[in-house]
Structures are given as C-alpha cells and as structure tokens.
Amino acid sequence: MKEGNKDAVYLHYAFHELHYSPSQLLELYEAPRFFKAFLYGSIEFLLEERAKESKKNNT
C-alpha cells in the first residue's frame, strides 16, 4: 500500500469511528510522523483485535 493511501485509510477510520472533525483530520494529516505512527499503530492494533474477536465469535 502506498504511503498516501495508508494515510487515507487511517484518516477515514478517524473520521467515521473516532468522530474526528475535518479540522482535526487536517491536524492529524499534518502531524509529526512519530505521532501518526503511534495513532496508526493503535488503530491497526484495534482492528486486528476486532478481527480476532469476530473470528472467535463466528467459530
């Protein structure tokens, strides 16, 4: 996945799931790389946990 596309996916998640406002999304997009890495890693972890839980409930 290209870096720009990765940003779009995480910004989309932040908008819909975390209820970020457009101005907060802009701040996130322009945030330092270390902050985005932390937030994106946290979102990725949450999504992986949700997927595991979903898989566990479906079996």
Side-chain angles (χ1 to χ4, degrees):
M1 179 181 316
K2 292 182 181 177
E3 190 64 32
N5 292 340
K6 185 185 283 188
D7 278 342
V9 169
Y10 290 113
L11 291 172
H12 178 81
Y13 182 87
F15 181 69
H16 288 285
E17 294 293 324
L18 303 177
H19 307 289
Y20 274 38
S21 69
S23 62
Q24 289 172 311
L25 291 174
L26 180 60
E27 285 178 28
L28 176 58
Y29 183 75
E30 295 174 343
R33 187 177 182 142
F34 69 89
F35 179 77
K36 289 198 303 190
F38 171 75
L39 185 62
Y40 292 1
S42 298
I43 291 171
E44 187 68 30
F45 176 77
L46 177 63
L47 293 176
E48 288 173 3
E49 291 299 308
R50 285 185 180 178
K52 287 178 189 176
E53 188 67 30
S54 177
K55 205 179 255 190
K56 180 179 161 184
N57 290 335
N58 288 334
T59 57

